[in-house]
Amino acid sequence: MRSLFYSFLLVLFASSLYGQFKKGDVEFSFMATIDKHSERTENYPFNVSIDPVTVFYLSLNPAYYIIDGLSVEPEFSIFANSNSKPATSLIGNVSYTYKAESSPLAVYARAGYGFSNGYYYPAVRGVAYRISSRFDVGILNAGAGVKFLFGTSAVIRAEVNYKEQSSEQEYYAYSASNPYGTKKKYDQILEDITLMVGCGLLF
């Protein structure tokens, strides 16, 4: 997956010569997604149900166009489920936006890397939680979507977003000869694809 991510980033730079969003423009937008997860087991020796969990993800995405079409777009995010403390993340993205002169519709793609103090993974029991006081979860981020412009400044955007989150965890391995256990480490990697929507302004 990392090779696909780096290829995606290369395409962003290679495409920058054909941009329609102008050098020096500033785009300021919010994006969000919300997911409600519940789970139950039926027709089993015993039935199990888990209370619904609401998961939300909200991000602030200021962007500055360094050349026509190509922008630097940091992403500041907060996410949590209804049963946990919120976590935060900071991702540095590079984004490319293309808009035909006569159309209010623009297409864009972005990619970046950042860090978080938690995991966002709604596909598994609405997981979105803080795991540390340190920003030690690495995040690979990639997305593609559309922007719809109203007039010259209002923007509505929708994006299919992919995130790969990874961190180093510890556990103890026990044996008959070592009942106290030996501390070992492993890598935990979570992947998720979500649909995000948002709005903003272009200056």
Side-chain angles (χ1 to χ4, degrees), residues 3 8 10 12 24 26 55 64 96 103 110 127 132 163 181 195:
S3 59
F8 185 65
L10 181 61
L12 291 181
V26 174
V55 183
Y64 178 77
Y96 169 70
S103 173
R110 62 179 182 143
V127 173
S132 171
K163 282 184 172 60
L195 175 63

Side-chain angles (χ1 to χ4, degrees), residues 64-184:
Y64 178 77
Y65 286 83
I66 53 177
I67 59 175
D68 291 357
L70 187 69
S71 64
V72 176
E73 183 180 301
E75 177 180 330
F76 306 93
S77 303
I78 183 170
F79 53 94
N81 64 42
S82 52
N83 298 326
S84 72
K85 292 182 179 180
T88 55
S89 66
L90 172 60
I91 303 172
N93 293 299
V94 176
S95 179
Y96 169 70
T97 302
Y98 174 80
K99 177 185 170 296
E101 290 290 343
S102 59
S103 173
L105 194 67
V107 294
Y108 74 95
R110 62 179 182 143
Y113 188 82
F115 298 94
S116 175
N117 62 353
Y119 280 115
Y120 175 73
Y121 196 61
V124 178
R125 294 191 179 182
V127 173
Y129 58 96
R130 185 190 300 179
I131 65 169
S132 171
S133 60
R134 304 185 308 273
F135 282 72
D136 50 9
V137 177
I139 304 175
L140 280 173
N141 183 61
V146 295
K147 299 176 184 179
F148 190 87
L149 278 73
F150 291 91
T152 58
S153 60
V155 179
I156 292 178
R157 58 191 285 185
E159 175 181 319
V160 177
N161 181 263
Y162 166 83
K163 282 184 172 60
E164 179 189 284
Q165 302 159 90
S166 60
S167 68
E168 189 176 70
Q169 304 292 329
E170 295 180 344
Y171 72 100
Y172 283 87
Y174 299 94
S175 65
S177 61
N178 185 10
Y180 296 103
T182 301
K183 184 186 289 188
K184 295 188 176 182

